[in-house]
Structure formats: C-alpha cells, structure tokens
Amino acid sequence: MNRVFPRFRNFERRGQKMPRVNWMIAVCMAGLLTFGVLFIKSATSIRTDSVHYIYLEMMFKWIPLGLAAHIFIAAVDYRKWLRFSLIPYAGGVLLLVLVLLFGTKLMGARRWIFGVQPSEFMKLAVIPAAAFILANFSDVRGSARFAVILGIFGIPALLVAIQPDLGSAMAFVPACAAMLYVSGCSKTLFRTMMTLGIFMVTVFFSAILLPEHLPEGKREAVEEAVDKFIFPHWRKRVEVFVFPDRDPLGAGWNKRQSEIAVGSGGRFGKGYLKGTQNILGFLPRSVSSTDFIFSVIGEETGFVGSCSLILLFCGLLGGIVATGYVCRDPAGRLICTGTAALLFMHIFVNMAMTVGKMPITGIPLPLVSYGGSFTVAIMSLLGLVQSVSIHGSESTPGGGQSLTKGT
C-alpha cells in the first residue's frame, strides 16, 4: 500500500491526525442536493400530472432519508460495517436475481422490485465488501485475491447488464480497477485486466459497426446475428453516436436535443425556469429530470452555472481523495478509492453523453438527478467515507488486522 501512497509515512512522523468530519464533502454534498432540487423542479415545471411534484418528494422524503442514513453510517466506526459487509452484498445479489425473475418491467427493462432499484444499492454494498476482502486478506496470494475481487464486482455487473442496464453495469468497472490498483495488485495482472477490457470494448464496437461495411444483401443477416448477443437498443445508441445524423427523429432525438439545450445556454443561460428546450418539450420530459438533468442546468444557467456544478463535484471528489490519502488504515483508503472512482464514472459519463461525447446511457448524475434509490445509496456511501474521516485516525497502519482492532 505504501508504494501507492509514498508520502503516507510522512503524515505519521509529523504527528498529523485526520480531521473529524470532512466539511468539504458535507458542503459540496449540500450544494449538489440544492442544485438537484431546484432543477428537478425546473425540469418538471410544465408537467400537469403528479410528476410535477417529485421535487417535493426529493425534499421531504428521499433527501431526509438519505441524510439519516448518512449520519447514522458516519457515526459508527466503518470497521464495524466492514465486518458484516458480505451480508448486504449477498442480499444485494439475491435482489438482483429476483429482479430478473419477478421485477417490474418499465421501458423494456426489469430494474425495480419492492419499490426500490437494487442495482443502485448494490453500488453501496460492493465497495465495502471488496475493501474488506482486499484489506483483511492481504497475505493471500495476489492472483487469488485478484480473481475474488473480479468476481465480487463481476457478478452484480453481469446481473445489472442483463436487466438490461448497461450504464449502471459500467459504473462497477472503474471502482474495481481503482481498488485493485491501490491495494497493490500485481502490475502484470493489472495490465492484463486492462488489456482484456480494451479488447472487449473493441470487439463490442466492432460487432455493432461491422454491418455498415457489408454489402446490402449480407447486412441484415449480420445485424440479426449481432442482436442475439447485444441488446438492439445498445446497438442503436452506438450507431447514433458514431453516425450523428442517423435517425434524428427516433433513436437520435434525445442526443440532438440535449446538445441543443446545453449549447443554447451560452455564457449565463436563459434564466431559471426559462429553458425553452425543456418548456417546449423538445428535451423529453420523461428523462429531463433524471439522465438529462445536466441539459436543463446547462440551458438555464449557461457556462457559468455548469462550471459551478462541476466545481462542486471537484470539491466532493477532492474531499473523498484527501480523506483516503490521509487515512492510516488500508481498508479506509480502499473505501475512499472505490467511492471516488464510482462517482467520477457517473459524473463523467453523464455529462459527456449530454454534450454528445459518449453514447447515451441510462446513468444519473449523483445527488442531482431525480431518483430515490440512487440518492439514498450515494448519500449512504458518502456517510461511509465520513466514517473513515472520523474514525480512520484510530486505525493502525498495515494489513487487515485493523478491521478487528478498536472495535
């Protein structure tokens, strides 16, 4: 671990201790939640049905519930949570299986069961489970730990992907890679994993785009073969990304209208509740408060407002990374690493797709997009990071023994 954090020992020699509550995380979280409530209200302002009031649901239901979970998790030593982390992980996997069998089908995907979206809570369960294994079994052979961690992340990622929800499945990948790297994973194994990942992405895109380069007579047969292994809507989204002018009134509609919304915001935006792309319904109302909330923000606040939002995210990620950097316990550093990587993936992919730099995927913007399960899960995960900030200085460096000391 010390080769990844080379100046870690300097903090100990100077007698510096971790701060208690990380106020950078707390302030940025509050700012992002405020952004979310304001622009969820804006995105639904022209609705006349019950959806118009979902910002009130965020204010008086999901945010208070998430805040209660955040404070409760932060107040308890994170090492106690880690000792039982495999139980919620197993429960999350079971729920993902039940979703595929009995879940509510909405817009062609099964993602909901018992009123919650298990894939979002799985993001909360998988990081402490992986941190527990990596820190507590550091003396186990590197390749064995590597395989176990790939399984820990791979099982839920696969179950989420076949719902199908490619965006949420993708979010597990950077968290897995970052935690393996920080844990001191063999460079050879790590490079092998990265090479394999690049190869799989290349094959994925090649299979989708191959029919474009075939004669008309063979194209249909190849497309049918590809659709047996790749969900048709995934293929459509990649095709629209690569060929922007294709199907502008169908599969390419959301992408084009999102780009127009962000671009038309200019320097200072059109004003709060005055975004014409949203008001006139060009930006689809079904997704303007969720996956495309950044488009609403960009149109109404412009470049300045968008930069303010990005600065809040930078502060949030910076606070998480700083907490992990100063933490004395390997498990605490791994929790912070996984959380930062997971959030960065969500932020980067969501913003990139709204401005046309990545294919459209159903991945929300943390703490800003509407979503009860997602908001509570992210606030809970940040509560775990705050627990590292509060209790991490009580841990002793070196190995997974810190998971049992002081508890």
Side-chain angles (χ1 to χ4, degrees):
M1 297 290 287
N2 288 326
R3 71 178 178 83
V4 181
F5 294 93
R7 287 184 285 177
F8 162 63
R9 293 175 182 173
N10 294 337
F11 282 87
E12 296 175 10
R13 284 197 294 265
R14 291 197 295 266
Q16 296 182 9
K17 291 185 177 181
M18 289 185 62
R20 288 298 182 179
V21 174
N22 189 315
W23 291 106
M24 176 68 78
I25 295 175
V27 170
C28 290
M29 184 178 75
L32 290 167
L33 289 170
T34 302
F35 253 99
V37 171
L38 288 175
F39 287 96
I40 290 171
K41 175 179 172 58
S42 179
T44 58
S45 59
I46 59 171
R47 298 289 293 260
T48 57
D49 53 10
S50 60
V51 176
H52 174 67
Y53 300 101
I54 60 174
Y55 73 96
L56 294 176
E57 188 178 16
M58 284 292 289
M59 287 177 63
F60 298 112
K61 181 180 179 181
W62 297 120
I63 291 179
L65 186 60
L67 187 60
H70 178 89
I71 294 172
F72 176 67
I73 292 173
V76 178
D77 192 326
Y78 68 94
R79 293 167 295 177
K80 294 182 179 179
W81 295 119
L82 290 182
R83 291 174 62 184
F84 302 99
S85 59
L86 295 180
I87 297 175
Y89 174 83
V93 171
L94 178 60
L95 280 177
L96 289 177
V97 173
L98 292 177
V99 164
L100 295 176
L101 297 175
F102 311 108
T104 303
K105 193 169 186 177
L106 185 64
M107 292 188 290
R110 294 185 184 274
R111 301 178 185 176
W112 295 83
I113 191 170
F114 307 133
V116 298
Q117 197 170 353
S119 60
E120 304 300 350
F121 288 106
M122 198 67 214
K123 296 169 186 176
L124 169 63
V126 71
I127 289 176
F132 173 80
I133 292 172
L134 286 169
N136 210 37
F137 299 95
S138 57
D139 55 340
V140 177
R141 186 178 175 184
S143 57
R145 285 191 304 138
F146 181 86
V148 170
I149 295 303
L150 285 185
I152 288 288
F153 280 95
I155 292 171
L158 178 62
L159 292 172
V160 171
I162 61 180
Q163 289 181 355
D165 186 358
L166 183 59
S168 293
M170 288 168 52
F172 292 101
V173 176
C176 176
M179 293 180 75
L180 281 171
Y181 181 76
V182 170
S183 68
C185 167
S186 165
K187 292 183 178 180
T188 302
L189 287 174
F190 190 81
R191 282 195 293 264
T192 301
M193 182 184 72
M194 298 301 293
T195 303
L196 180 61
I198 294 171
F199 173 75
M200 292 175 64
V201 171
T202 303
V203 170
F204 176 79
F205 276 87
S206 299
I208 291 175
L209 301 177
L210 176 63
E212 298 294 327
H213 303 281
L214 295 176
E216 191 69 30
K218 297 182 179 179
R219 182 178 303 177
E220 186 176 345
V222 174
E223 286 181 347
E224 290 179 359
V226 170
D227 287 344
K228 292 180 180 179
F229 301 96
I230 299 175
F231 290 105
H233 72 279
W234 291 2
R235 178 168 61 82
K236 276 286 186 184
R237 289 176 177 180
V238 172
E239 288 177 349
V240 167
F241 173 69
V242 177
F243 307 104
D245 296 327
R246 176 174 298 180
D247 198 13
L249 300 180
W253 178 265
N254 290 4
K255 176 179 180 293
R256 174 163 292 193
Q257 299 307 318
S258 175
E259 291 175 18
I260 293 172
V262 176
S264 64
R267 187 180 300 175
F268 298 107
K270 298 175 182 177
Y272 183 59
L273 300 176
K274 297 179 181 179
T276 53
Q277 287 294 111
N278 175 47
I279 291 175
L280 298 177
F282 290 103
L283 191 65
R285 298 172 186 177
S286 60
V287 294
S288 59
S289 60
T290 53
D291 299 340
F292 288 89
I293 191 72
F294 184 71
S295 305
V296 179
I297 295 171
E299 183 181 21
E300 297 188 358
T301 66
F303 179 76
V304 173
S306 299
C307 285
S308 300
L309 181 68
I310 291 172
L311 285 175
L312 284 173
F313 277 123
C314 289
L316 181 70
L317 293 175
I320 296 170
V321 171
T323 298
Y325 185 80
V326 181
C327 180
R328 291 181 166 187
D329 180 28
R333 293 204 291 272
L334 289 166
I335 288 171
C336 295
T337 299
T339 301
L342 179 73
L343 291 179
F344 177 80
M345 176 68 174
H346 271 271
I347 297 163
F348 178 81
V349 172
N350 180 276
M351 291 185 176
M353 77 176 187
T354 58
V355 296
K357 300 305 179 184
M358 287 193 70
I360 300 298
T361 58
I363 190 166
L365 195 59
L367 305 174
V368 180
S369 293
Y370 173 77
S373 300
F374 183 63
T375 299
V376 173
I378 294 300
M379 293 181 73
S380 300
L381 195 55
L382 291 175
L384 195 60
V385 174
Q386 287 285 20
S387 179
V388 174
S389 179
I390 294 169
H391 304 285
S393 60
E394 301 170 5
S395 305
T396 55
Q401 294 179 349
S402 58
L403 296 180
T404 57
K405 289 184 179 181
T407 60

